[in-house]
Amino acid sequence: GRIAYTWMDGACDCIQLRVIDAGGGEPRILYGGRGMTEVLPLEWSDDGSQILGKRQKSAEETEVVLIAVSDGSVRVVRNFEHGSGKVSLSPDSRYVAYDRAEDSNDADRGIYLSATEGGHEVPLVTGPTYDSHPMWTRDGSGLVFASMRTGGPGLWLQPMKDGRADGKARLL
């Protein structure tokens, strides 16, 4: 296995995204350099070819990005003006699911989906409740998320098919 991590390099006074084999060895600089914005690694793609990350563009703007492990190239998947919460990459690397505020005071949050190759945001689980922390099931057939919809915290499952909700969410 491999580990991706952020590193402050004093030699160049810059923040780098590095990858190292779990067994040791020399780290490889995947991304970073003087003047480049820090990328926070979130998770690996199932095939190990990409790393899902977040990049803070300004105090209010965040980008969700995919970094190719082969050459360090960065592809922006989604921009957020007021940030996002948890972001999760589907097992087939075709979609990202995330939670974000539905209103200006962040009283309600919803679960949304975007294709990694571009496309519109698709609302999956929204409404007058606080839904957050989506995570894909191992086979990609559903999204598990936390919700306050029953008055207290609960764990829910939203069945998925081809990047769309497939039926109603159910309490786990």
Side-chain angles (χ1 to χ4, degrees), residues 42-115:
L42 302 175
E43 59 186 60
W44 288 86
S45 63
D46 272 11
D47 66 4
S49 68
Q50 302 177 90
I51 298 170
L52 179 70
K54 279 188 182 180
R55 182 166 64 180
Q56 196 73 36
K57 293 298 285 181
S58 68
E60 295 189 3
E61 185 182 359
T62 304
E63 294 176 323
V64 172
V65 297
L66 281 170
I67 300 108
V69 176
S70 60
D71 63 7
S73 61
V74 177
R75 181 164 35 101
V76 176
V77 175
R78 190 96 198 142
N79 286 307
F80 295 97
E81 287 183 23
H82 301 289
S84 69
K86 168 80 171 134
V87 181
S88 183
L89 183 64
S90 65
D92 63 7
S93 298
R94 292 177 55 207
Y95 305 101
V96 289
Y98 50 90
D99 64 271
R100 69 164 177 79
E102 291 184 2
D103 54 21
S104 59
N105 62 2
D106 199 16
D108 296 326
R109 288 187 85 75
I111 309 292
Y112 296 84
L113 183 121
S114 287

